[in-house]
Amino acid sequence: QVQLVQSGAEVKKPGASVKVSCKASGYTFTSYGISWVRQAPGQGLEWMGWISAYNGNTNYAQKLQGRVTMTTDTSTSTAYMELRSLRSDDTAVYYCAREPSLNYWGQGTLVTVSS
Amino acid sequence: DVVMTQSPLSLPVTLGQPASISCRSSQSLVHSDGNTYLNWFQQRPGQSPRRLIYKVSNRDSGVPDRFSGSGSGTDFTLKISRVEAEDVGVYYCMQGTHWPLTFGGGTKVEIK
């Protein structure tokens, strides 16, 4: 069965960086892209970007351009999302989700940005 | 960016009664390949989102047949024929036709 298992919760100070991992199993990793979606406390879902697990091509949300980098490690079937220059409004649960059309989701990783 | 507008924001429903959620997009969601990439997600309290419906009207595996999706172009609807207690949560539409992917603001379904 398809599973996406994410890394644990993080607490970061403003200006720091965070890197969240998403380990995939139950399918051929390079056959599907991964999207990252975040959800601020009590808010809706926000798409952050997408990476092809086949060739590493990416497509980022305009508002995060320059602060976000998505990568994959095909040897371990793991996708990563790094967000830099963290601000308090980056506090959210971060999800990875598999294509097509986000049919499988990870359990979420809470990232708290606080001084 | 394509703006997805859901209504209502909140939907109190009596158990066993039907429910309907509307989702409108700011531009057509018909892709150049002929498909319409409009999906519906359910997020129960404290859980990750779960896809219910893809490409307007296709139910995902394991989704009860009381859930149905319909619509075309810019106007879409998710219907629950008879609401059960386990249907409580927030429902989101999402378009995958145009970059960036965008979600509706969500509709909270609760039991009266």
Side-chain angles (χ1 to χ4, degrees), chain B residues 5-51:
Chain B
T5 303
Q6 284 184 236
S7 61
L9 291 180
S10 177
L11 185 55
V13 186
T14 300
L15 286 173
Q17 293 301 301
S20 180
I21 300 170
S22 170
C23 175
R24 288 193 167 94
S25 57
S26 60
Q27 57 185 276
S28 173
L29 299 186
V30 180
H31 194 275
S32 56
D33 66 7
N35 289 307
T36 299
Y37 295 100
L38 185 284
N39 310 299
W40 289 96
F41 296 85
Q42 174 195 61
Q43 187 175 32
R44 291 171 171 152
Q47 295 188 11
S48 299
R50 165 200 183 195
R51 197 180 72 179

Side-chain angles (χ1 to χ4, degrees), chain A residues 11-85:
Chain A
V11 179
K12 296 291 183 181
K13 293 195 182 306
S17 299
V18 69
K19 192 170 186 177
V20 179
S21 67
C22 169
K23 184 170 177 57
S25 61
Y27 70 97
T28 301
F29 181 68
T30 51
S31 294
Y32 299 93
I34 295 283
S35 275
W36 289 88
V37 176
R38 69 180 179 177
Q39 185 171 38
Q43 302 300 308
L45 302 171
E46 178 188 13
W47 180 81
M48 300 177 65
W50 166 90
I51 181 165
S52 165
Y54 173 70
N55 59 16
N57 285 350
T58 55
N59 191 329
Y60 300 139
Q62 182 74 21
K63 68 178 286 189
L64 296 173
Q65 286 274 3
R67 286 206 301 138
V68 69
T69 301
M70 296 176 188
T71 56
T72 59
D73 181 343
T74 57
S75 69
T76 60
S77 298
T78 303
Y80 298 92
M81 185 284 300
E82 181 180 32
L83 190 60
R84 300 175 293 278
S85 302

Side-chain angles (χ1 to χ4, degrees), chain A residues 89-103:
Chain A
D89 63 355
D90 291 317
T91 293
V93 175
Y94 289 75
Y95 296 100
C96 60
R98 201 201 78 172
E99 299 298 332
S101 298
L102 314 189
N103 60 345

